[in-house]
């Protein structure tokens, strides 16, 4: 592959402002343009491409916006070969140069071997790396070692609107011949050592509303004679987690998978420089002192984070207000074998118990607004072995076998609906800054990542 060719295309793709998060017609037009460009690129490779109309999305304010199409594409249907399906997304998080970007986020800019631009690592770079790996076989006039399918969407950053219904509908058609599914939508845990990801945490997002009345109160007129909603809410939020990060909801740890010796050894083998990790995070001290404890609490134990309070006075200045109603927001990252609906019951019961002890006359409502299951794979599956071998070939090293502390719902969705092995093969370094200002992918990661995917096809062919 000519790196210039790949870079030029990445530059073109980054230039498209395919922001799915801000619900505005101009961004939707850009998303449709992005999907059309990708479909065209795949057609030029010789793929059979279908752009599936996904209908439209009703927004809370009453407006309706079209959902960009999902691309289903296939290359080769040789029954003697294995079939690998690649999932990627071409929508991005919002980006504005005024928010602290050092360069225009929509102009791919190379500085010291780093390619800066929104979507460079999440997820346009990895999608193009896979396409470039396929086109390398085409350019050499070599047969593809495996049959390849693509499912590419444009709404991942907005929750993959309507994708699950499509996967369900296509499970006995488009996915029927698929043997393995590959996702490349996360990062290594180091700057130079490649990784394979075999698990992600789930997420249960909660709101807890405490209400006295619709309007706020003046603290001079009412302070001292009310059950104040804010005081109730602060007590409720303060009852959820202690200062060592331990979740105080009774029973929450009951279903957490027991720790095995084999698993502990996996953590020991991972390269993580704690000092460098702490410095790059700009944090004075973590809750734990060893690499193993840090990794376990990021990946295999649940965590609870408090995100904010709606309805509270948060402007500069001194306003003597008693909020009439407030909503606290928090979430729990779930791990195997925790169950979303069990967690919902445990959290609700705990908050009701704490609230009843306060004898408050206010009304409290607990809601779970999002429930996403954790995902874990079997690292002895064929494609994990193939990915390991491919990494050895290209990088000359064993990969870190990692989990991801965040949630990638699509992995669990494919595993549950399509019942096929899913592997996450990240290309980006730990400091790529996905979702952040100055997102980048290193030129080295982009080019070596393309080689890695090509090597992976060859290894899959051997193991199949």
């Amino acid at each position: 592959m000519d790196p210039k060719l790949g870079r030029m295309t990445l530059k073109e793709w980054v230039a498209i402002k395919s922001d799915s998060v801000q619900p505005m017609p101009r961004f939707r037009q850009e998303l449709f343009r992005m999907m059309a460009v990708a479909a065209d690129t795949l057609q030029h490779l010789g793929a059979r491409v279908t752009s599936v109309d996904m209908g439209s999305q009703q927004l809370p304010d009453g407006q309706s916006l079209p959902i960009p199409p999902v691309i289903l594409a296939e290359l080769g249907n040789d029954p003697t070969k294995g079939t690998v399906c690649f999932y990627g997304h071409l929508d991005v998080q919002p980006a504005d140069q005024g928010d602290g970007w050092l360069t225009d986020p929509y102009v791919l800019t190379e500085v010291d071997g780093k390619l800066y631009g929104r979507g460079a690592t999440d997820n346009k770079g990895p999608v193009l790396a896979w396409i470039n790996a396929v086109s390398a076989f085409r350019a050499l006039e070599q047969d593809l070692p495996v049959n390849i399918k693509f499912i590419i969407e444009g709404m991942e950053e907005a929750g993959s609107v309507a994708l699950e219904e499509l996967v369900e509908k296509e499970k006995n058609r488009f996915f029927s011949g698929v043997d393995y599914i590959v996702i490349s939508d996360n990062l290594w845990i180091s700057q130079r050592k490649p990784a394979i990801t075999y698990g992600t945490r789930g997420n249960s997002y909660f709101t807890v509303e405490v209400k006295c009345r619709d309007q706020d109160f003046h603290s001079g007129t009412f302070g001292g004679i009310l059950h104040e909603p804010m005081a109730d809410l602060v007590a409720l939020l303060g009852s959820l987690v202690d200062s060592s990060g331990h979740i105080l909801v009774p029973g929450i740890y009951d279903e957490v998978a027991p720790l095995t010796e084999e698993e502990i050894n996996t953590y020991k083998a991972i390269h993580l420089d704690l000092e460098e990790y702490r410095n790059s995070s700009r944090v004075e001290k973590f809750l734990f002192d060893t690499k193993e404890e840090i990794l376990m609490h990021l990946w295999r134990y649940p965590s609870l984070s408090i995100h904010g309070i709606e309805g509270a006075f948060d402007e500069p200045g001194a306003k003597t207000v008693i909020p009439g109603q407030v909503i606290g927001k928090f979430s729990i990252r779930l791990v195997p074998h925790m169950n979303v609906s069990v967690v919902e019951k445990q959290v609700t019961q705990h908050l009701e118990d704490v609230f009843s002890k306060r004898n408050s006359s206010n009304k409290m409502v607990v809601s779970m607004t999002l429930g996403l299951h954790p995902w874990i794979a079997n690292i002895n599956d064929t494609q994990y072995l193939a990915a390991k071998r491919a990494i050895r070939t290209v990088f000359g090293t064993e990969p870190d076998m990692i989990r991801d502390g965040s949630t990638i719902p699509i992995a669990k969705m494919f595993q549950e609906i399509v019942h096929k092995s899913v592997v996450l093969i990240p290309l980006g370094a730990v400091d790529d800054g996905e979702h952040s200002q100055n997102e980048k992918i290193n030129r080295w990661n982009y080019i070596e990542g393309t080689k890695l995917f090509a090597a992976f096809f060859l290894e899959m062919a051997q193991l199949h």
Side-chain angles (χ1 to χ4, degrees):
M1 184 200 80
D2 176 358
K4 281 202 191 74
L5 188 76
R7 200 173 111 212
M8 186 181 80
T9 315
L10 185 57
K11 195 172 188 109
E12 288 169 356
W13 282 26
V14 164
I16 301 174
K17 299 176 182 178
S18 51
D19 172 349
S20 63
V21 177
Q22 299 184 77
M24 296 175 199
R26 66 188 174 98
F27 287 128
R28 283 303 154 98
Q29 283 166 357
E30 287 280 271
L31 272 164
F32 273 77
R33 186 159 76 92
M34 182 71 252
M35 300 315 284
V37 165
D40 191 49
T41 305
L42 289 167
Q43 266 159 350
H44 273 98
L45 268 186
R48 232 180 46 229
V49 179
T50 309
S51 289
V52 183
D53 180 352
M54 301 298 281
S56 60
Q57 175 191 24
Q58 296 305 124
L59 296 165
D61 65 1
Q63 73 164 323
S64 166
L65 281 176
I67 300 171
V70 169
I71 294 171
L72 300 178
E74 40 197 310
L75 263 165
N77 54 2
D78 182 335
T80 64
K81 294 177 182 175
T83 300
V84 180
C85 179
F86 178 82
Y87 162 86
H89 69 89
L90 297 176
D91 59 317
V92 296
Q93 285 280 325
D96 190 301
Q97 195 164 353
D99 290 342
W101 281 77
L102 300 173
T103 57
D104 182 333
Y106 295 107
V107 176
L108 190 73
T109 308
E110 182 166 1
V111 182
D112 297 334
K114 297 174 169 72
L115 305 169
Y116 289 96
R118 178 55 94 218
T121 199
D122 181 20
N123 185 226
K124 292 176 180 179
V127 172
L128 268 171
W130 187 274
I131 290 172
N132 290 338
V134 173
S135 68
F137 286 92
R138 285 276 182 267
L140 294 166
E141 294 178 359
Q142 284 186 17
D143 235 13
L144 275 171
V146 285
N147 302 314
I148 288 180
K149 291 193 175 191
F150 291 85
I151 173 165
I152 299 174
E153 66 158 324
M155 288 296 283
E156 192 270 350
E157 303 292 4
S160 295
V161 181
L163 187 69
E164 190 166 343
E165 293 84 340
L166 176 68
V167 173
E168 190 71 65
K169 205 168 79 185
E170 290 290 340
K171 81 170 171 193
N172 297 320
R173 292 187 298 201
F174 179 77
F175 291 105
S176 66
V178 169
D179 299 301
Y180 312 98
I181 293 170
V182 177
I183 300 170
S184 182
D185 190 22
N186 62 320
L187 302 174
W188 300 348
I189 198 172
S190 101
Q191 291 192 7
R192 296 292 288 181
K193 192 175 180 204
I196 299 172
T197 306
Y198 65 95
T200 61
R201 291 196 288 191
N203 195 8
S204 290
Y205 200 103
F206 291 90
T207 62
V208 52
E209 179 182 6
V210 181
K211 181 173 178 178
C212 179
R213 68 173 194 185
D214 288 329
Q215 297 129 285
D216 293 342
F217 300 90
H218 184 308
S219 71
T221 314
F222 288 95
I225 61 167
L226 290 179
H227 286 114
E228 296 190 11
M230 192 68 151
D232 282 343
L233 181 60
V234 168
L236 290 165
L237 295 177
S239 76
L240 293 168
V241 64
D242 70 15
S243 61
S244 66
H246 186 82
I247 303 172
L248 300 171
V249 175
I252 202 88
Y253 291 96
D254 291 356
E255 300 303 314
V256 174
L259 184 61
T260 65
E261 195 62 42
E262 186 189 3
E263 194 187 331
I264 293 171
N265 291 333
T266 330
Y267 300 128
K268 284 181 179 161
I270 288 169
H271 173 74
L272 178 68
D273 181 330
L274 271 193
E275 198 56 26
E276 182 191 291
Y277 184 52
R278 197 178 54 73
N279 289 335
S280 67
S281 311
R282 296 198 289 283
V283 171
E284 197 171 308
K285 190 181 190 310
F286 289 124
L287 289 173
F288 305 97
D289 299 320
T290 69
K291 171 183 77 174
E292 290 76 14
E293 282 178 304
I294 295 265
L295 294 176
M296 286 195 284
H297 284 87
L298 278 176
W299 298 345
R300 62 111 50 234
Y301 289 122
S303 64
L304 188 149
S305 302
I306 296 168
H307 305 299
I309 295 176
E310 204 178 305
F313 169 58
D314 66 346
E315 305 294 325
K319 184 180 176 187
T320 54
V321 64
I322 297 171
Q325 93 182 77
V326 281
I327 301 171
K329 300 179 182 187
F330 64 95
S331 70
I332 299 176
R333 291 284 173 180
L334 310 179
V335 296
H337 303 289
M338 293 170 83
N339 177 292
V340 168
S341 51
V342 172
V343 167
E344 183 180 13
K345 286 193 192 82
Q346 290 169 330
V347 168
T348 306
Q349 185 63 58
H350 168 73
L351 290 173
E352 282 170 356
D353 291 349
V354 173
F355 190 65
S356 70
K357 289 188 183 123
R358 289 184 64 80
N359 296 316
S360 172
S361 57
N362 294 323
K363 298 281 177 286
M364 181 194 75
V365 179
V366 181
S367 311
M368 187 177 80
T369 58
L370 183 71
L372 300 169
H373 292 276
W375 163 75
I376 194 154
N378 175 5
I379 57 174
N380 298 314
D381 276 351
T382 307
Q383 63 169 356
Y384 279 84
L385 304 176
K388 274 183 167 177
R389 287 188 192 181
I391 284 172
R392 264 184 239 132
T393 303
V394 174
F395 294 94
T397 181
E398 288 294 323
D400 282 330
M401 298 302 293
I402 67 172
R403 296 203 212 174
D404 198 307
S406 56
T407 306
I408 302 176
I410 193 84
K412 181 76 173 174
M413 188 176 90
F414 282 134
Q415 200 176 42
E416 299 255 289
I417 298 174
V418 186
H419 303 299
K420 296 286 154 57
S421 168
V422 178
V423 66
L424 266 64
I425 307 178
L427 300 189
V430 68
D431 61 349
D432 274 0
E434 40 172 17
H435 291 209
S436 179
Q437 294 91 336
N438 306 311
E439 176 186 342
K440 58 91 178 161
I441 191 166
N442 300 329
R443 169 193 269 269
W444 180 75
N445 288 69
Y446 181 49
I447 292 172
E448 297 305 301
T450 301
K451 294 178 192 170
L452 170 59
F453 286 150
F456 176 71
F457 302 159
L458 293 163
E459 292 295 348
M460 285 305 292
Q462 297 235 310
L463 285 169
H464 193 78

